Amino acid sequence: MTVRGNLPAQTTTFIGREAVLAETEALLGRARLVTLAGPGGMGKTRIAVETGRALAQAFQHGAWRVRLRDLKDPAALARAVATELRIVDNSPEPGLGRLVESLYDKHLLLVLDDCEHLLEAVRHLVHHLLRDCEGLTILATSREPLGVYGEQLLRVPPLSVDDAVLLFEERAEVAPDLADVTALCEAVDGLPLAIELLAAQPAGVVLSEVFRQPEPATLEQVLEWSARQCTDEERRLWARLSAFPADFDLAAAEAVADADVLKPLSALVHRSIVATATSPVTGETRYRLLDTVSQFGARLLTNADEPLRRHAVHYSEFVDEAARSWFSPGETRWMGRLWEEWPNIRAAVGHALRTPDLAAAGAAVTMNVQRARFTSFAGMLGQAWDLLTAAREVITEAPLRTSLLAHCAYMAQVRGDSAVAFPLMNEARALPRLPITDVHLVLAEATHLFFVEGSPDCVPLYAHVVELCREHSSPGDTYITELMHAMAACFLLDAEAADKTTTALARQAESNGVSWAHAWGLWHRGLYELLHGDPAQVHPLAVQALRIQLTLGDTWSTPFSLWLLACTCAELGANDRAARLLGALRSQERVSRISFSGMSPFRRVLDRADRTVRRSLGDDYQVITTLGADLRPEQVMAFALEPVPDSERRPVKPLLPGGLTRQEFTIAGLVADGYTSKQIAARLYISPRTADRHVVNIRVKLGLPTRVALAAWHRSATGER
């Protein structure tokens, strides 16, 4: 079995602790909640990680660690856990519901690390998870017990003298005399972090200070000794690095320190004050301070606001660059970098919104993370919505507030949630705007016409937004509006106009090297064939699009491909498969918070597919859709990627006379029956102008001069008098 989880790779050896590890494992064998308690620097996190590694094979769904150090808002706890477990959380309402829904049938070890500053929220979370998720086991680290019923508490003891000496010798470049090392380890009472810090000092530098202590040295004293051994430059950097709530790269460190930091940073690494790891995304070194070390560093600051300000500005610029640059062959790298930096981004937004002269930059970040598609990709629209809500509470003046409101309205619309979008749009309409604000607001207006009213008037409006984006925005923003333009044309215009926009979109997607865009280009080609062409061509296009989306980890786009596959299977007569996909799609709608029933063009096609399948399967319909709804997400995707066997397809229908599409032949029949364009529009739920354009296009395709000639042609083609 492949073990899943996110336990970090360790870069240093793990010394001793055999008895503690054995006792922790034994407790987890008979209890579902074990808390490793003890003061800072005792090694609780390392013991928890090593325990998770040892037990990961025993849990079907692996061992997962959630670091809570950087989390300041107790209300965001459930979202933070969902994020670390890669659970899609697009709900605008924070809460435990989505977490419980995802974990209720999982057999999983959850490591909650650094709980002490969120005790009340953690107690509430743990109580509900253990009550509702029977296969879940929790290992927590905290300076205090959680106080939850059934908790097994293990107070982590200091290292034994022998293990402490071994740790010192392992970490020290030049070890002092064994007797001195033994005495030193006893003098710091076997505290692992203190030993590592002392081992990193030049031999003999602090030994005399330690030995002079009448009582065992505290970790605070060891940190003070370590700080005194640092140069002024190193101490200043140590203090400024306390602004980071999580790990960071060299560029971020230089931005916060406002200096070239490579030399002092290397010295802090050498002194074990800063830990390092290699980024799996960039291959470059990332740095971090342990919580206790960071707290001490914060007390060295003479101006606590300055590094936090620089931190906020740096990540504002980072996210702005991501929003401008992700639409490139480097899109996967950008998504990975945004994942790595998310705790820093979240903290930067929080500080910026609390600082009046940085509030506008913080608000821009809340929009830019979505413009970079990151929160959509990662299934974190819930967190994005929380940040946008916080920004709306702070930003009260137009035109920035106009953009925020329009941006939020658009997010709600593409989820199919018009009830949330309406009041946001109404407020935005009444506020002043700038050209860049028009991009957001007109996009929201066009999407309202498209998804709510199903009006073809949205198509020229989208075309206007495309021009605005080309002038005022980034290539990624431009492509998003082109994508919406092509989608609207495909649903609401005739075959010729739909083919033109879809072909242009697909051609661009193939040439720009962006896999996400290529997937949507394939999807649009499939949509065109479903609505205007040959449904038999749709399935391979949709499957190819879905494969790309799954490879990218794009959680937002996959339900759209599932929708396309379900509707296509219904058209092909593969009704059993279509029913399973329809059931699975309803589950995916609930998980992703995308409501196709709230988007009228999608709803109409989906309803037609559902009616077709329901008529075909009769009483079996409910049973088969329920089977589809019960599939786990990975099972749904595996099933969706399967080819449709020929035995499941209905016989291929002969081509319609004149090479007309089904819709065109229907319109020709209505003309033969004497319907006017207005009557045709009412019958087919399209505008009279669109109906008239269809009639003209059909006459051009058949080479007929008038509606009378078209009526005569249809009667002849169908054998009617």
Side-chain angles (χ1 to χ4, degrees), residues 295-328:
Q295 290 171 1
F296 180 86
R299 294 201 295 273
L300 299 176
L301 285 169
T302 55
N303 180 0
D305 182 66
E306 184 61 23
L308 291 173
R309 172 180 291 274
R310 291 187 177 279
H311 179 275
V313 170
H314 172 75
Y315 283 103
S316 172
E317 294 171 350
F318 170 79
V319 174
D320 180 67
E321 183 184 3
R324 287 184 284 104
S325 306
W326 74 271
F327 192 70
S328 68

PDB file of all heavy atoms in Angstrom, residues 295-328:
ATOM      1  N   GLN A 295      10.026  33.242  19.113  1.00  0.00           N
ATOM      2  CA  GLN A 295       9.485  34.097  20.179  1.00  0.00           C
ATOM      3  C   GLN A 295      10.591  34.880  20.882  1.00  0.00           C
ATOM      4  O   GLN A 295      10.433  36.061  21.207  1.00  0.00           O
ATOM      5  CB  GLN A 295       8.716  33.239  21.183  1.00  0.00           C
ATOM      6  CG  GLN A 295       7.410  32.681  20.635  1.00  0.00           C
ATOM      7  CD  GLN A 295       6.773  31.657  21.553  1.00  0.00           C
ATOM      8  OE1 GLN A 295       7.302  31.357  22.629  1.00  0.00           O
ATOM      9  NE2 GLN A 295       5.649  31.108  21.139  1.00  0.00           N
ATOM     10  N   PHE A 296      11.731  34.220  21.101  1.00  0.00           N
ATOM     11  CA  PHE A 296      12.864  34.927  21.701  1.00  0.00           C
ATOM     12  C   PHE A 296      13.369  36.018  20.754  1.00  0.00           C
ATOM     13  O   PHE A 296      13.663  37.146  21.173  1.00  0.00           O
ATOM     14  CB  PHE A 296      13.992  33.945  22.031  1.00  0.00           C
ATOM     15  CG  PHE A 296      15.192  34.596  22.661  1.00  0.00           C
ATOM     16  CD1 PHE A 296      15.246  34.804  24.029  1.00  0.00           C
ATOM     17  CD2 PHE A 296      16.264  35.028  21.885  1.00  0.00           C
ATOM     18  CE1 PHE A 296      16.346  35.424  24.617  1.00  0.00           C
ATOM     19  CE2 PHE A 296      17.359  35.645  22.457  1.00  0.00           C
ATOM     20  CZ  PHE A 296      17.397  35.845  23.837  1.00  0.00           C
ATOM     21  N   GLY A 297      13.451  35.701  19.457  1.00  0.00           N
ATOM     22  CA  GLY A 297      13.912  36.685  18.480  1.00  0.00           C
ATOM     23  C   GLY A 297      13.016  37.908  18.433  1.00  0.00           C
ATOM     24  O   GLY A 297      13.497  39.037  18.281  1.00  0.00           O
ATOM     25  N   ALA A 298      11.709  37.707  18.596  1.00  0.00           N
ATOM     26  CA  ALA A 298      10.779  38.841  18.575  1.00  0.00           C
ATOM     27  C   ALA A 298      11.062  39.806  19.719  1.00  0.00           C
ATOM     28  O   ALA A 298      10.857  41.021  19.582  1.00  0.00           O
ATOM     29  CB  ALA A 298       9.344  38.332  18.647  1.00  0.00           C
ATOM     30  N   ARG A 299      11.556  39.276  20.829  1.00  0.00           N
ATOM     31  CA  ARG A 299      11.863  40.154  21.964  1.00  0.00           C
ATOM     32  C   ARG A 299      13.134  40.968  21.739  1.00  0.00           C
ATOM     33  O   ARG A 299      13.402  41.920  22.476  1.00  0.00           O
ATOM     34  CB  ARG A 299      11.993  39.315  23.242  1.00  0.00           C
ATOM     35  CG  ARG A 299      10.684  38.655  23.656  1.00  0.00           C
ATOM     36  CD  ARG A 299      10.694  38.269  25.125  1.00  0.00           C
ATOM     37  NE  ARG A 299      11.680  37.244  25.426  1.00  0.00           N
ATOM     38  CZ  ARG A 299      11.461  35.940  25.330  1.00  0.00           C
ATOM     39  NH1 ARG A 299      10.276  35.496  24.926  1.00  0.00           N
ATOM     40  NH2 ARG A 299      12.381  35.078  25.644  1.00  0.00           N
ATOM     41  N   LEU A 300      13.921  40.598  20.731  1.00  0.00           N
ATOM     42  CA  LEU A 300      15.124  41.358  20.408  1.00  0.00           C
ATOM     43  C   LEU A 300      14.825  42.562  19.521  1.00  0.00           C
ATOM     44  O   LEU A 300      15.702  43.401  19.299  1.00  0.00           O
ATOM     45  CB  LEU A 300      16.144  40.453  19.684  1.00  0.00           C
ATOM     46  CG  LEU A 300      16.653  39.225  20.445  1.00  0.00           C
ATOM     47  CD1 LEU A 300      17.562  38.397  19.542  1.00  0.00           C
ATOM     48  CD2 LEU A 300      17.385  39.628  21.716  1.00  0.00           C
ATOM     49  N   LEU A 301      13.608  42.651  19.024  1.00  0.00           N
ATOM     50  CA  LEU A 301      13.260  43.731  18.102  1.00  0.00           C
ATOM     51  C   LEU A 301      13.174  45.071  18.832  1.00  0.00           C
ATOM     52  O   LEU A 301      12.611  45.164  19.921  1.00  0.00           O
ATOM     53  CB  LEU A 301      11.917  43.445  17.429  1.00  0.00           C
ATOM     54  CG  LEU A 301      11.894  42.380  16.333  1.00  0.00           C
ATOM     55  CD1 LEU A 301      10.454  42.036  15.979  1.00  0.00           C
ATOM     56  CD2 LEU A 301      12.645  42.866  15.101  1.00  0.00           C
ATOM     57  N   THR A 302      13.709  46.086  18.196  1.00  0.00           N
ATOM     58  CA  THR A 302      13.530  47.448  18.719  1.00  0.00           C
ATOM     59  C   THR A 302      12.301  48.104  18.110  1.00  0.00           C
ATOM     60  O   THR A 302      11.712  49.008  18.697  1.00  0.00           O
ATOM     61  CB  THR A 302      14.774  48.298  18.409  1.00  0.00           C
ATOM     62  OG1 THR A 302      15.020  48.263  16.997  1.00  0.00           O
ATOM     63  CG2 THR A 302      16.000  47.743  19.146  1.00  0.00           C
ATOM     64  N   ASN A 303      11.911  47.647  16.895  1.00  0.00           N
ATOM     65  CA  ASN A 303      10.715  48.162  16.222  1.00  0.00           C
ATOM     66  C   ASN A 303       9.974  46.972  15.629  1.00  0.00           C
ATOM     67  O   ASN A 303      10.314  46.492  14.549  1.00  0.00           O
ATOM     68  CB  ASN A 303      11.099  49.166  15.135  1.00  0.00           C
ATOM     69  CG  ASN A 303       9.867  49.724  14.412  1.00  0.00           C
ATOM     70  OD1 ASN A 303       8.738  49.360  14.726  1.00  0.00           O
ATOM     71  ND2 ASN A 303      10.090  50.604  13.453  1.00  0.00           N
ATOM     72  N   ALA A 304       8.991  46.470  16.365  1.00  0.00           N
ATOM     73  CA  ALA A 304       8.318  45.238  15.958  1.00  0.00           C
ATOM     74  C   ALA A 304       7.525  45.408  14.670  1.00  0.00           C
ATOM     75  O   ALA A 304       7.296  44.431  13.947  1.00  0.00           O
ATOM     76  CB  ALA A 304       7.389  44.764  17.076  1.00  0.00           C
ATOM     77  N   ASP A 305       7.102  46.627  14.347  1.00  0.00           N
ATOM     78  CA  ASP A 305       6.241  46.827  13.184  1.00  0.00           C
ATOM     79  C   ASP A 305       7.012  46.744  11.867  1.00  0.00           C
ATOM     80  O   ASP A 305       6.474  46.286  10.859  1.00  0.00           O
ATOM     81  CB  ASP A 305       5.547  48.188  13.271  1.00  0.00           C
ATOM     82  CG  ASP A 305       4.609  48.417  12.092  1.00  0.00           C
ATOM     83  OD1 ASP A 305       3.605  47.684  11.990  1.00  0.00           O
ATOM     84  OD2 ASP A 305       4.900  49.310  11.277  1.00  0.00           O
ATOM     85  N   GLU A 306       8.267  47.176  11.867  1.00  0.00           N
ATOM     86  CA  GLU A 306       9.005  47.291  10.609  1.00  0.00           C
ATOM     87  C   GLU A 306       9.162  45.954   9.877  1.00  0.00           C
ATOM     88  O   GLU A 306       8.874  45.867   8.678  1.00  0.00           O
ATOM     89  CB  GLU A 306      10.373  47.927  10.867  1.00  0.00           C
ATOM     90  CG  GLU A 306      11.197  48.176   9.610  1.00  0.00           C
ATOM     91  CD  GLU A 306      10.517  49.125   8.625  1.00  0.00           C
ATOM     92  OE1 GLU A 306       9.659  49.919   9.064  1.00  0.00           O
ATOM     93  OE2 GLU A 306      10.829  49.051   7.429  1.00  0.00           O
ATOM     94  N   PRO A 307       9.633  44.863  10.546  1.00  0.00           N
ATOM     95  CA  PRO A 307       9.735  43.602   9.801  1.00  0.00           C
ATOM     96  C   PRO A 307       8.386  43.057   9.355  1.00  0.00           C
ATOM     97  O   PRO A 307       8.288  42.461   8.278  1.00  0.00           O
ATOM     98  CB  PRO A 307      10.419  42.660  10.804  1.00  0.00           C
ATOM     99  CG  PRO A 307      10.273  43.287  12.123  1.00  0.00           C
ATOM    100  CD  PRO A 307      10.200  44.754  11.895  1.00  0.00           C
ATOM    101  N   LEU A 308       7.333  43.257  10.153  1.00  0.00           N
ATOM    102  CA  LEU A 308       6.005  42.817   9.739  1.00  0.00           C
ATOM    103  C   LEU A 308       5.530  43.588   8.514  1.00  0.00           C
ATOM    104  O   LEU A 308       4.896  43.036   7.607  1.00  0.00           O
ATOM    105  CB  LEU A 308       5.010  42.995  10.886  1.00  0.00           C
ATOM    106  CG  LEU A 308       5.197  42.061  12.089  1.00  0.00           C
ATOM    107  CD1 LEU A 308       4.266  42.466  13.221  1.00  0.00           C
ATOM    108  CD2 LEU A 308       4.949  40.612  11.691  1.00  0.00           C
ATOM    109  N   ARG A 309       5.847  44.869   8.480  1.00  0.00           N
ATOM    110  CA  ARG A 309       5.500  45.696   7.322  1.00  0.00           C
ATOM    111  C   ARG A 309       6.242  45.199   6.071  1.00  0.00           C
ATOM    112  O   ARG A 309       5.637  45.044   4.999  1.00  0.00           O
ATOM    113  CB  ARG A 309       5.858  47.150   7.623  1.00  0.00           C
ATOM    114  CG  ARG A 309       5.737  48.096   6.428  1.00  0.00           C
ATOM    115  CD  ARG A 309       6.122  49.505   6.833  1.00  0.00           C
ATOM    116  NE  ARG A 309       5.120  50.059   7.738  1.00  0.00           N
ATOM    117  CZ  ARG A 309       4.022  50.666   7.315  1.00  0.00           C
ATOM    118  NH1 ARG A 309       3.779  50.819   6.026  1.00  0.00           N
ATOM    119  NH2 ARG A 309       3.159  51.142   8.176  1.00  0.00           N
ATOM    120  N   ARG A 310       7.536  44.955   6.224  1.00  0.00           N
ATOM    121  CA  ARG A 310       8.318  44.475   5.077  1.00  0.00           C
ATOM    122  C   ARG A 310       7.837  43.095   4.630  1.00  0.00           C
ATOM    123  O   ARG A 310       7.818  42.786   3.433  1.00  0.00           O
ATOM    124  CB  ARG A 310       9.801  44.436   5.435  1.00  0.00           C
ATOM    125  CG  ARG A 310      10.407  45.820   5.610  1.00  0.00           C
ATOM    126  CD  ARG A 310      11.914  45.751   5.804  1.00  0.00           C
ATOM    127  NE  ARG A 310      12.471  47.083   5.885  1.00  0.00           N
ATOM    128  CZ  ARG A 310      12.736  47.841   4.827  1.00  0.00           C
ATOM    129  NH1 ARG A 310      12.485  47.379   3.610  1.00  0.00           N
ATOM    130  NH2 ARG A 310      13.242  49.042   4.981  1.00  0.00           N
ATOM    131  N   HIS A 311       7.452  42.261   5.594  1.00  0.00           N
ATOM    132  CA  HIS A 311       6.908  40.939   5.277  1.00  0.00           C
ATOM    133  C   HIS A 311       5.636  41.086   4.445  1.00  0.00           C
ATOM    134  O   HIS A 311       5.465  40.409   3.412  1.00  0.00           O
ATOM    135  CB  HIS A 311       6.624  40.205   6.593  1.00  0.00           C
ATOM    136  CG  HIS A 311       6.030  38.838   6.440  1.00  0.00           C
ATOM    137  ND1 HIS A 311       4.676  38.626   6.297  1.00  0.00           N
ATOM    138  CD2 HIS A 311       6.605  37.613   6.403  1.00  0.00           C
ATOM    139  CE1 HIS A 311       4.447  37.328   6.184  1.00  0.00           C
ATOM    140  NE2 HIS A 311       5.600  36.682   6.257  1.00  0.00           N
ATOM    141  N   ALA A 312       4.743  41.977   4.867  1.00  0.00           N
ATOM    142  CA  ALA A 312       3.485  42.174   4.142  1.00  0.00           C
ATOM    143  C   ALA A 312       3.730  42.705   2.738  1.00  0.00           C
ATOM    144  O   ALA A 312       3.104  42.254   1.767  1.00  0.00           O
ATOM    145  CB  ALA A 312       2.576  43.125   4.924  1.00  0.00           C
ATOM    146  N   VAL A 313       4.644  43.657   2.596  1.00  0.00           N
ATOM    147  CA  VAL A 313       4.933  44.235   1.284  1.00  0.00           C
ATOM    148  C   VAL A 313       5.555  43.192   0.366  1.00  0.00           C
ATOM    149  O   VAL A 313       5.202  43.083  -0.820  1.00  0.00           O
ATOM    150  CB  VAL A 313       5.859  45.461   1.436  1.00  0.00           C
ATOM    151  CG1 VAL A 313       6.365  45.923   0.066  1.00  0.00           C
ATOM    152  CG2 VAL A 313       5.129  46.596   2.139  1.00  0.00           C
ATOM    153  N   HIS A 314       6.482  42.399   0.907  1.00  0.00           N
ATOM    154  CA  HIS A 314       7.144  41.382   0.070  1.00  0.00           C
ATOM    155  C   HIS A 314       6.129  40.394  -0.491  1.00  0.00           C
ATOM    156  O   HIS A 314       6.153  40.085  -1.696  1.00  0.00           O
ATOM    157  CB  HIS A 314       8.196  40.630   0.888  1.00  0.00           C
ATOM    158  CG  HIS A 314       8.779  39.453   0.157  1.00  0.00           C
ATOM    159  ND1 HIS A 314       9.686  39.592  -0.868  1.00  0.00           N
ATOM    160  CD2 HIS A 314       8.547  38.108   0.279  1.00  0.00           C
ATOM    161  CE1 HIS A 314      10.004  38.404  -1.342  1.00  0.00           C
ATOM    162  NE2 HIS A 314       9.322  37.487  -0.664  1.00  0.00           N
ATOM    163  N   TYR A 315       5.229  39.899   0.358  1.00  0.00           N
ATOM    164  CA  TYR A 315       4.291  38.889  -0.134  1.00  0.00           C
ATOM    165  C   TYR A 315       3.184  39.502  -0.976  1.00  0.00           C
ATOM    166  O   TYR A 315       2.609  38.819  -1.831  1.00  0.00           O
ATOM    167  CB  TYR A 315       3.759  38.051   1.029  1.00  0.00           C
ATOM    168  CG  TYR A 315       4.813  37.053   1.461  1.00  0.00           C
ATOM    169  CD1 TYR A 315       5.569  37.254   2.606  1.00  0.00           C
ATOM    170  CD2 TYR A 315       5.097  35.951   0.670  1.00  0.00           C
ATOM    171  CE1 TYR A 315       6.571  36.368   2.973  1.00  0.00           C
ATOM    172  CE2 TYR A 315       6.094  35.055   1.025  1.00  0.00           C
ATOM    173  CZ  TYR A 315       6.832  35.272   2.171  1.00  0.00           C
ATOM    174  OH  TYR A 315       7.826  34.391   2.506  1.00  0.00           O
ATOM    175  N   SER A 316       2.916  40.777  -0.778  1.00  0.00           N
ATOM    176  CA  SER A 316       2.005  41.471  -1.692  1.00  0.00           C
ATOM    177  C   SER A 316       2.602  41.496  -3.095  1.00  0.00           C
ATOM    178  O   SER A 316       1.917  41.210  -4.090  1.00  0.00           O
ATOM    179  CB  SER A 316       1.744  42.889  -1.188  1.00  0.00           C
ATOM    180  OG  SER A 316       1.022  43.638  -2.144  1.00  0.00           O
ATOM    181  N   GLU A 317       3.884  41.807  -3.188  1.00  0.00           N
ATOM    182  CA  GLU A 317       4.563  41.843  -4.484  1.00  0.00           C
ATOM    183  C   GLU A 317       4.689  40.442  -5.081  1.00  0.00           C
ATOM    184  O   GLU A 317       4.551  40.254  -6.298  1.00  0.00           O
ATOM    185  CB  GLU A 317       5.937  42.488  -4.320  1.00  0.00           C
ATOM    186  CG  GLU A 317       5.866  43.973  -3.944  1.00  0.00           C
ATOM    187  CD  GLU A 317       7.222  44.557  -3.580  1.00  0.00           C
ATOM    188  OE1 GLU A 317       8.187  43.762  -3.427  1.00  0.00           O
ATOM    189  OE2 GLU A 317       7.313  45.794  -3.421  1.00  0.00           O
ATOM    190  N   PHE A 318       4.932  39.455  -4.226  1.00  0.00           N
ATOM    191  CA  PHE A 318       5.045  38.071  -4.699  1.00  0.00           C
ATOM    192  C   PHE A 318       3.742  37.600  -5.338  1.00  0.00           C
ATOM    193  O   PHE A 318       3.728  37.024  -6.431  1.00  0.00           O
ATOM    194  CB  PHE A 318       5.431  37.170  -3.525  1.00  0.00           C
ATOM    195  CG  PHE A 318       5.350  35.696  -3.836  1.00  0.00           C
ATOM    196  CD1 PHE A 318       6.352  35.074  -4.556  1.00  0.00           C
ATOM    197  CD2 PHE A 318       4.262  34.940  -3.409  1.00  0.00           C
ATOM    198  CE1 PHE A 318       6.274  33.710  -4.850  1.00  0.00           C
ATOM    199  CE2 PHE A 318       4.174  33.594  -3.697  1.00  0.00           C
ATOM    200  CZ  PHE A 318       5.190  32.974  -4.416  1.00  0.00           C
ATOM    201  N   VAL A 319       2.608  37.860  -4.657  1.00  0.00           N
ATOM    202  CA  VAL A 319       1.324  37.412  -5.185  1.00  0.00           C
ATOM    203  C   VAL A 319       0.949  38.196  -6.439  1.00  0.00           C
ATOM    204  O   VAL A 319       0.368  37.642  -7.384  1.00  0.00           O
ATOM    205  CB  VAL A 319       0.224  37.529  -4.107  1.00  0.00           C
ATOM    206  CG1 VAL A 319      -1.139  37.203  -4.680  1.00  0.00           C
ATOM    207  CG2 VAL A 319       0.532  36.602  -2.936  1.00  0.00           C
ATOM    208  N   ASP A 320       1.303  39.478  -6.482  1.00  0.00           N
ATOM    209  CA  ASP A 320       1.047  40.269  -7.683  1.00  0.00           C
ATOM    210  C   ASP A 320       1.818  39.688  -8.872  1.00  0.00           C
ATOM    211  O   ASP A 320       1.276  39.571  -9.980  1.00  0.00           O
ATOM    212  CB  ASP A 320       1.461  41.725  -7.452  1.00  0.00           C
ATOM    213  CG  ASP A 320       1.216  42.591  -8.674  1.00  0.00           C
ATOM    214  OD1 ASP A 320       0.044  42.799  -9.034  1.00  0.00           O
ATOM    215  OD2 ASP A 320       2.206  43.040  -9.296  1.00  0.00           O
ATOM    216  N   GLU A 321       3.066  39.296  -8.639  1.00  0.00           N
ATOM    217  CA  GLU A 321       3.851  38.679  -9.716  1.00  0.00           C
ATOM    218  C   GLU A 321       3.235  37.354 -10.146  1.00  0.00           C
ATOM    219  O   GLU A 321       3.176  37.037 -11.344  1.00  0.00           O
ATOM    220  CB  GLU A 321       5.295  38.459  -9.255  1.00  0.00           C
ATOM    221  CG  GLU A 321       6.188  37.895 -10.348  1.00  0.00           C
ATOM    222  CD  GLU A 321       7.595  37.580  -9.872  1.00  0.00           C
ATOM    223  OE1 GLU A 321       7.869  37.754  -8.660  1.00  0.00           O
ATOM    224  OE2 GLU A 321       8.409  37.140 -10.705  1.00  0.00           O
ATOM    225  N   ALA A 322       2.752  36.574  -9.174  1.00  0.00           N
ATOM    226  CA  ALA A 322       2.109  35.300  -9.510  1.00  0.00           C
ATOM    227  C   ALA A 322       0.871  35.519 -10.372  1.00  0.00           C
ATOM    228  O   ALA A 322       0.636  34.789 -11.342  1.00  0.00           O
ATOM    229  CB  ALA A 322       1.734  34.558  -8.230  1.00  0.00           C
ATOM    230  N   ALA A 323       0.072  36.544 -10.031  1.00  0.00           N
ATOM    231  CA  ALA A 323      -1.145  36.833 -10.796  1.00  0.00           C
ATOM    232  C   ALA A 323      -0.812  37.243 -12.228  1.00  0.00           C
ATOM    233  O   ALA A 323      -1.568  36.951 -13.159  1.00  0.00           O
ATOM    234  CB  ALA A 323      -1.953  37.927 -10.104  1.00  0.00           C
ATOM    235  N   ARG A 324       0.324  37.927 -12.411  1.00  0.00           N
ATOM    236  CA  ARG A 324       0.717  38.369 -13.754  1.00  0.00           C
ATOM    237  C   ARG A 324       1.443  37.287 -14.536  1.00  0.00           C
ATOM    238  O   ARG A 324       1.441  37.318 -15.769  1.00  0.00           O
ATOM    239  CB  ARG A 324       1.615  39.601 -13.646  1.00  0.00           C
ATOM    240  CG  ARG A 324       0.880  40.882 -13.242  1.00  0.00           C
ATOM    241  CD  ARG A 324       1.790  42.100 -13.244  1.00  0.00           C
ATOM    242  NE  ARG A 324       2.683  42.125 -12.085  1.00  0.00           N
ATOM    243  CZ  ARG A 324       3.965  41.817 -12.107  1.00  0.00           C
ATOM    244  NH1 ARG A 324       4.533  41.445 -13.244  1.00  0.00           N
ATOM    245  NH2 ARG A 324       4.701  41.870 -11.008  1.00  0.00           N
ATOM    246  N   SER A 325       2.048  36.309 -13.846  1.00  0.00           N
ATOM    247  CA  SER A 325       2.995  35.403 -14.503  1.00  0.00           C
ATOM    248  C   SER A 325       2.545  33.954 -14.587  1.00  0.00           C
ATOM    249  O   SER A 325       3.171  33.164 -15.299  1.00  0.00           O
ATOM    250  CB  SER A 325       4.345  35.451 -13.767  1.00  0.00           C
ATOM    251  OG  SER A 325       4.823  36.770 -13.662  1.00  0.00           O
ATOM    252  N   TRP A 326       1.500  33.551 -13.858  1.00  0.00           N
ATOM    253  CA  TRP A 326       1.155  32.136 -13.820  1.00  0.00           C
ATOM    254  C   TRP A 326       0.723  31.606 -15.182  1.00  0.00           C
ATOM    255  O   TRP A 326       0.887  30.411 -15.468  1.00  0.00           O
ATOM    256  CB  TRP A 326       0.017  31.894 -12.818  1.00  0.00           C
ATOM    257  CG  TRP A 326      -1.326  32.362 -13.327  1.00  0.00           C
ATOM    258  CD1 TRP A 326      -1.869  33.590 -13.194  1.00  0.00           C
ATOM    259  CD2 TRP A 326      -2.266  31.596 -14.088  1.00  0.00           C
ATOM    260  NE1 TRP A 326      -3.088  33.662 -13.804  1.00  0.00           N
ATOM    261  CE2 TRP A 326      -3.356  32.447 -14.368  1.00  0.00           C
ATOM    262  CE3 TRP A 326      -2.298  30.283 -14.554  1.00  0.00           C
ATOM    263  CZ2 TRP A 326      -4.464  32.020 -15.094  1.00  0.00           C
ATOM    264  CZ3 TRP A 326      -3.398  29.860 -15.281  1.00  0.00           C
ATOM    265  CH2 TRP A 326      -4.470  30.715 -15.541  1.00  0.00           C
ATOM    266  N   PHE A 327       0.170  32.476 -16.032  1.00  0.00           N
ATOM    267  CA  PHE A 327      -0.339  32.036 -17.337  1.00  0.00           C
ATOM    268  C   PHE A 327       0.848  31.848 -18.281  1.00  0.00           C
ATOM    269  O   PHE A 327       1.126  32.671 -19.148  1.00  0.00           O
ATOM    270  CB  PHE A 327      -1.322  33.071 -17.882  1.00  0.00           C
ATOM    271  CG  PHE A 327      -2.111  32.590 -19.075  1.00  0.00           C
ATOM    272  CD1 PHE A 327      -3.073  31.609 -18.939  1.00  0.00           C
ATOM    273  CD2 PHE A 327      -1.895  33.119 -20.329  1.00  0.00           C
ATOM    274  CE1 PHE A 327      -3.802  31.177 -20.030  1.00  0.00           C
ATOM    275  CE2 PHE A 327      -2.615  32.688 -21.431  1.00  0.00           C
ATOM    276  CZ  PHE A 327      -3.569  31.714 -21.276  1.00  0.00           C
ATOM    277  N   SER A 328       1.555  30.735 -18.082  1.00  0.00           N
ATOM    278  CA  SER A 328       2.801  30.468 -18.799  1.00  0.00           C
ATOM    279  C   SER A 328       3.114  28.986 -18.643  1.00  0.00           C
ATOM    280  O   SER A 328       2.457  28.286 -17.861  1.00  0.00           O
ATOM    281  CB  SER A 328       3.939  31.307 -18.203  1.00  0.00           C
ATOM    282  OG  SER A 328       4.243  30.850 -16.893  1.00  0.00           O
TER     283      SER A 328
END
